[in-house]
Amino acid sequence: MIRSTRASLFLLALTALPAVARAQVSLGFEFRVHTYTTNNQAAPAVARTAGGGFVVVWTSFGQDGDGSGVIGRRFNAAGLFEGAEFVVNAYTTGSQTGPAVASDANGRFVVVWQGSQDGSFSSVHAQRFDASGVREGSELQVNTYTTGGQVNPAVASDADGNLVVVWTGAGAGDNVGIFGQRYSSSGAPSGGEFRVNSYAAAGQYWPAVASDASGAFVVAWQSGMGQDGGGQGVFAQRYDADAVAQGSEFSVNTYTTSNQTFPSVASAADGRFVVVWGSAGQDGSGYGVFAQRYDASGTEQGFEFQVNAAITGDQDRAAVAWDAGGRFVVVWRTKAGAAGYEVLGRQFAADGAPFGDDFAVNTYTTGAQVDPAVAIDAAGNFVVAWTTDRDSSGTAVFARRFAQDGIFRDGFE
């Protein structure tokens, strides 16, 4: 009887909890991702791996023996190192920068970055790894069109490890546009390089991509002046698993005054997705972070909404991740006054309702905390990585883990 009564009280208390009580709980302090601290370590990306672990990749200056290189490190579900940090790029001449990372359901992961080894201004490259961090095959050059620069790559993986890589490129038939290339789970190209954007005026930049469990994917990007009737705007295009465009490209933002920039996109396993971006002046003070939800058919779910609760100063460069239950978390950098940048976050239910207010990710607040990246597991536990200037020799990459707090703690556990 006592156990039954306590169980009933437990369930009643859960249903009575306010949204803020179901917000994130920190799993320990922020921690340095790397051991190499000479020069700068910056611009992290993060992906979840099997069993609740994760992998962080970043740009390191001088560590690969020449210029900048891409470095990675794996962590287990408890946030402990799984082996030493490793150099991702096999070609080390010149600069290899701007990494992105994605993982499949079995914990295999792929890293993409921009380099200069094809003799052009810049090119896009990739390296696949198995779940234990062992290389699978050789480093790949993603772009086949090599005239001009190919920069700012992003990557997504479906549950089986089929990949899509997108980037900003000076491609054939376009000035500066968004291009893509698909790969099978074995690393073989699936079809040829393709252009994502159909509107080719003014330039298209900063692509983001997300895939659902079946391999269908959505690409979002920042379009140059005028396409949405205002300044710069955020646009997107949906594809099925065979990279066949589903409908036409569409405008994500409905507020078109001034500029909407730097989109990030996350997808649920069933194809629902959410796009976040920075919008100038919309929240009443500098840049704010805004979002729009979509169902699997690309239909808007409600209206675009403001992510950040605090509006003082700028809130921008947002990143988003979506868990198996439909919840999503958004992180961004904020600048309020002369104290420098910090990293904030906020969680949302599948219907867009917030779980509490903004929360601070970083505890070290001196100087600048920028470049936030986030990854989430199926249960809603997430990890945030960012760049901080706390090292005496240059910038560093730190991370912090959080758990989704949906448990009522009554003192008897």
Side-chain angles (χ1 to χ4, degrees):
M1 174 64 77
I2 293 176
R3 181 179 297 273
S4 176
T5 301
R6 288 191 64 232
S8 299
L9 290 171
F10 176 83
L11 292 173
L12 179 63
L14 273 178
T15 59
L17 279 173
V20 68
R22 295 192 298 272
Q24 71 293 325
V25 172
S26 175
L27 296 174
F29 300 104
E30 62 188 60
F31 58 93
R32 186 191 310 275
V33 170
H34 49 90
T35 54
Y36 181 89
T37 59
T38 304
N39 297 321
N40 293 322
Q41 329 296 317
V46 59
R48 280 289 184 178
T49 54
F54 56 95
V55 57
V56 185
V57 297
W58 65 93
T59 301
S60 179
F61 294 84
Q63 189 172 354
D64 71 355
D66 184 50
S68 56
V70 175
I71 312 299
R73 194 160 205 183
R74 296 167 54 247
F75 298 82
N76 65 18
L80 303 176
F81 299 141
E82 287 196 322
E85 61 194 66
F86 54 92
V87 178
V88 173
N89 51 288
Y91 182 90
T92 59
T93 302
S95 294
Q96 330 298 320
T97 62
V101 61
S103 59
D104 67 15
N106 297 311
R108 296 176 298 178
F109 61 95
V110 61
V111 185
V112 299
W113 67 93
Q114 65 186 55
S116 55
Q117 54 262 53
D118 71 355
S120 68
F121 172 74
S122 185
S123 49
V124 175
H125 299 265
Q127 177 65 62
R128 298 161 51 246
F129 295 86
D130 69 15
S132 61
V134 176
R135 293 174 185 270
E136 291 190 331
S138 301
E139 181 178 302
L140 303 169
Q141 178 163 325
V142 176
N143 58 290
T144 52
Y145 183 87
T146 59
T147 302
Q150 322 295 321
V151 297
N152 306 133
V155 61
S157 173
D158 69 13
D160 295 326
N162 301 301
L163 309 171
V164 58
V165 185
V166 296
W167 66 93
T168 302
D174 199 357
N175 180 16
V176 178
I178 308 302
F179 293 83
Q181 174 66 62
R182 294 168 55 247
Y183 291 89
S184 70
S185 59
S186 66
S190 298
E193 180 177 307
F194 59 95
R195 190 176 78 181
V196 174
N197 58 289
S198 54
Y199 179 89
Q204 287 71 40
Y205 309 91
W206 299 108
V209 61
S211 177
D212 67 18
S214 72
F217 60 96
V218 59
V219 185
W221 65 90
Q222 174 183 320
S223 187
M225 303 293 286
Q227 185 178 358
D228 69 359
Q232 299 178 69
V234 174
F235 286 77
Q237 175 67 63
R238 296 169 52 246
Y239 292 87
D240 67 13
D242 295 318
V244 176
Q246 303 298 288
S248 302
E249 70 180 48
F250 55 92
S251 177
V252 175
N253 55 286
T254 53
Y255 179 89
T256 59
T257 303
S258 193
N259 294 323
Q260 285 70 48
T261 59
F262 298 109
S264 177
V265 59
S267 180
D270 61 7
R272 292 173 295 165
F273 62 96
V274 60
V275 184
V276 301
W277 66 92
S279 183
Q282 189 173 353
D283 72 355
S285 175
Y287 270 85
V289 178
F290 286 77
Q292 177 66 63
R293 299 181 303 111
Y294 296 85
D295 67 15
S297 69
T299 302
E300 293 176 350
Q301 300 298 286
F303 300 104
E304 70 182 35
F305 59 93
Q306 184 175 310
V307 171
N308 52 290
I311 62 171
T312 303
D314 286 326
Q315 329 289 322
D316 64 358
R317 296 300 184 98
V320 60
W322 199 327
D323 74 11
R327 296 168 297 191
F328 57 96
V329 59
V330 185
V331 296
W332 65 91
R333 71 175 188 179
T334 179
K335 183 172 177 60
Y341 285 98
E342 297 185 26
V343 176
L344 299 181
R346 198 176 192 187
Q347 288 195 91
F348 295 85
D351 63 0
F355 286 158
D357 290 329
D358 308 341
F359 62 90
V361 173
N362 57 287
T363 54
Y364 180 88
T365 58
T366 302
Q369 327 295 317
V370 295
D371 303 328
V374 61
I376 197 166
D377 67 15
N381 304 310
F382 59 96
V383 58
V384 184
W386 68 94
T387 303
T388 173
D389 62 4
R390 65 193 297 172
D391 272 5
S392 59
S393 62
T395 58
V397 173
F398 273 67
R400 194 176 185 189
R401 298 163 54 241
F402 295 87
Q404 176 71 37
D405 184 17
I407 300 175
F408 178 69
R409 295 177 172 85
D410 65 0
F412 290 92
E413 284 79 11

